Amino acid sequence: MKHFPIFVAVEGRRIVLSGGGEAALAKLRLLLKTEAHVTVFAPEPAPEIVQWAAAGRLRLQQRAMQPGDALCAVLFYAADEDTAEDARTSAIARADGALVNIVDNLEDSQFITPAIVDRDPVTVAIGTEGAAPVLARAIKSDLEARLPATLGPLARLGKAFRKAADVLPMGRRRRDFWADYYFNAGPRAMDQGGEEQVKTTLRAILDQHLNAQERDGHVAFVGAGPGDPDLLTLKARKALDTADVVIHDRLVTPAILELARREAILIDAGKEGFGASMSQDAINALIVEHAATGAQVVRLKGGDPTVFGRLDEEIEAVTAAGIAWHVVPGITAASASVASIGQSLTQRGRNASVRFLTGHDMKGFADHDWSALARPGEVAAIYMGKKSARFIQGRLIMHGADRATPVTVIENASRPDQRILATTLDRLPTDLAEAAITGPALTFLGLAPRAAEAQIAQSQQELA
Ligand code: SAH
């Protein structure tokens, strides 16, 4: 971050701008929304500036800026659109002690003005450090559409009611009240009857929340998908938005944890002390302990919680404690991985079924129906298969599998550091060791990346 976003107090303070053309007008339209005293220096001001001056909205000096003109100013804008003049005026303003912005000159500016979404007193500032104005505009119009026009008045009325709402105990009860106001009852009241109705509604919902029973705890077992936050379901997003506690495993990426409600407590159940995993019993106890206090617990698991996720043990513990729960499915690693190599999990004429296997289970390397898996055309997604690669290879070949069977390993599927290793059953352990894979990886038996398949077909043609 080369620029740190802050909100500067400008009420009753001076902001000075030099310039009278288009650039000056664009900045003045923003500055006139503030409660600052704005002074403009412009030998030839645009007619709008003259009108604003006549209406008392700013002070206009129809001359070039001189030393001392920016004394006591908090901010200064050099907006003459003339390099030499901008350098001259900004030197004056700097000497006078103001923070300086030169329009369209990021290098020499001490601050930059963000794109603004104005729902005063709610203000959203968007900055890209000059890197992508198009992106800033897109984000701005997205937010303009998303934030109701009534948000400003709602926030102002809400602020005036804060003291009254303090009768609610701090924490979840109070947050629930405000969430109800801003996202539910408040906007509805504003639409129906304007500010007066909002005031009545505030008092009514405060009574409701005061009389409300303490909410029961709940556990949502949520699939976080393979790592790309865009692969979360909307339900997963909503669960994270409202969570009091998020208990996640090692597979969940930081980008996804970022989406949890800011006040939520995040607990990494993948680690304890110096990196050893928490036992399943300890995790079960942790989930129950938090939900029993009335918390909305999100148990966030990589991929889909129902695939090699030890979900049932957790559900049983929660049920035994009499706590309500539900499951939010996620995109499992196998789905994300086939997508990344452009293949299907099933294909007419090739495989009518697909197996999800684990490389190892509680007893060590997992046993499977090897002779069925060794048949040509079989497709299997092998989870947790890194360590057991040599074992799996040995069993399959012993049961008659073709050594040339394609095998693809996808590491970090859907993440920026995704890697694809296309190999064969014969070379699997060697290639895997050579690739030095450190992230989570899924091994596909019987699938090659689509592009590699095309290449193999082509080289076979060339050989023929
Ligand atoms: N519930 C998870 C699987 C948990 S088992 C799911 O549905 O995906 C953990 C194994 O999943 C890892 O050892 C790895 O084989 C696989 N895995 C999870 N995320 C992955 C990813 N982003 N890329 C590749 N494999 C992944």
Side-chain angles (χ1 to χ4, degrees):
M1 222 191 268
K2 288 193 179 144
H3 291 81
F4 182 65
I6 53 167
F7 289 89
V8 178
V10 295
E11 183 189 9
R13 304 185 68 188
R14 283 189 87 204
I15 297 179
V16 175
L17 179 143
S18 174
E22 279 305 320
L25 281 174
K27 283 289 174 291
L28 286 170
R29 283 193 195 101
L30 287 177
L31 293 174
L32 289 179
K33 290 172 182 252
T34 70
E35 286 163 46
H37 296 307
V38 178
T39 304
V40 177
F41 291 89
E44 292 166 32
E48 285 97 325
I49 300 180
V50 178
Q51 279 164 19
W52 284 328
R57 299 186 62 192
L58 52 77
R59 285 187 52 189
L60 174 61
Q61 303 282 351
Q62 295 211 13
R63 61 171 174 81
M65 222 176 120
Q66 298 304 329
D69 279 343
L71 278 176
C72 300
V74 237
L75 303 177
F76 172 75
Y77 284 91
D80 282 284
E81 300 169 83
D82 172 317
T83 315
E85 181 61 0
D86 284 343
R88 189 187 73 85
T89 59
S90 58
I92 292 174
R94 218 174 282 211
D96 284 349
L99 266 185
V100 168
N101 171 273
I102 305 174
V103 174
D104 287 335
N105 180 349
L106 183 68
E107 280 290 281
D108 299 323
S109 291
Q110 291 172 295
F111 72 94
I112 49 181
T113 314
I116 294 170
V117 180
D118 173 19
R119 299 286 186 276
D120 185 45
V122 178
T123 314
V124 185
I126 305 150
T128 63
E129 305 205 326
V134 180
L135 191 59
R137 267 197 295 278
I139 297 170
K140 176 173 152 69
S141 57
D142 201 29
L143 287 171
E144 290 283 3
R146 186 123 44 109
L147 299 179
T150 53
L151 191 69
L154 279 177
R156 219 173 6 255
L157 294 166
K159 190 175 170 191
F161 199 73
R162 280 194 88 99
K163 275 238 151 56
D166 282 353
V167 295
L168 283 166
M170 231 178 7
R172 189 162 348 104
R173 301 261 316 265
R174 207 181 287 177
R175 282 199 305 269
D176 286 350
F177 164 77
W178 285 114
D180 190 8
Y181 169 63
Y182 278 113
F183 302 111
N184 183 20
R188 227 178 319 133
M190 186 65 95
D191 284 347
Q192 284 165 3
E195 303 209 355
E196 279 315 305
Q197 176 104 13
V198 172
K199 285 183 194 160
T200 324
T201 301
L202 269 168
R203 279 186 295 273
I205 57 173
L206 179 60
D207 280 343
Q208 264 172 31
H209 282 259
L210 272 173
N211 296 329
Q213 294 295 316
E214 185 62 70
R215 217 168 22 145
D216 285 335
H218 184 95
V219 180
F221 296 98
V222 176
D228 176 355
D230 280 355
L231 290 178
L232 280 171
T233 62
L234 288 175
K235 279 200 175 165
R237 284 293 303 258
K238 283 185 194 153
L240 286 171
D241 272 349
T242 52
D244 298 312
V245 181
V246 177
I247 302 174
H248 62 93
D249 62 29
R250 222 179 306 222
L251 284 172
V252 179
T253 53
I256 288 174
L257 294 175
E258 280 281 317
L259 299 171
R261 196 162 64 86
R262 207 163 53 124
E263 296 84 1
I265 303 168
L266 296 184
I267 301 172
D268 183 352
K271 277 200 205 97
E272 193 184 45
F274 296 98
S277 296
M278 230 184 240
S279 74
Q280 188 61 49
D281 283 343
I283 296 172
N284 297 351
L286 193 68
I287 299 171
V288 168
E289 179 197 319
H290 281 280
T293 67
Q296 305 302 297
V297 177
V298 166
R299 171 66 174 122
L300 193 61
K301 288 167 175 285
D304 184 281
T306 71
V307 179
F308 303 126
R310 304 189 70 174
L311 174 65
D312 303 72
E313 293 155 67
E314 294 177 12
I315 288 179
E316 273 159 31
V318 168
T319 312
I323 292 161
W325 54 272
H326 75 290
V327 178
V328 178
I331 291 185
T332 188
S335 301
S337 298
V338 268
S340 73
I341 58 170
Q343 290 290 12
S344 291
L345 281 173
T346 61
Q347 189 185 81
R348 246 146 73 113
R350 183 189 65 201
N351 63 314
S353 68
V354 59
R355 290 165 209 245
F356 287 5
L357 314 179
T358 170
H360 60 84
D361 58 21
M362 305 218 273
K363 291 187 244 81
F365 293 155
D367 227 340
H368 297 286
D369 182 355
W370 300 111
S371 55
L373 283 164
R375 283 198 294 259
E378 281 297 313
V379 173
I382 306 169
Y383 288 72
M384 298 171 279
K386 271 188 293 185
K387 287 205 191 95
S388 52
R390 190 168 290 283
F391 170 78
I392 290 172
Q393 180 209 39
R395 285 292 136 104
L396 286 170
I397 291 175
M398 198 166 86
H399 285 82
D402 185 349
R403 286 174 177 272
T405 306
V407 175
T408 307
V409 181
I410 297 107
E411 181 192 16
N412 292 318
S414 87
R415 303 180 190 178
D417 47 0
Q418 169 178 294
R419 280 203 299 168
I420 293 168
L421 173 69
T423 178
T424 57
L425 186 57
D426 193 32
R427 295 197 47 84
L428 173 64
T430 326
D431 284 353
L432 204 54
E434 233 162 66
I437 283 174
T438 51
L442 196 100
T443 306
F444 268 115
L445 174 71
L447 284 185
R450 189 175 288 275
E453 231 181 17
Q455 264 169 18
I456 292 163
Q458 198 188 351
S459 54
Q460 275 169 350
Q461 260 176 8
E462 279 163 11
L463 284 176

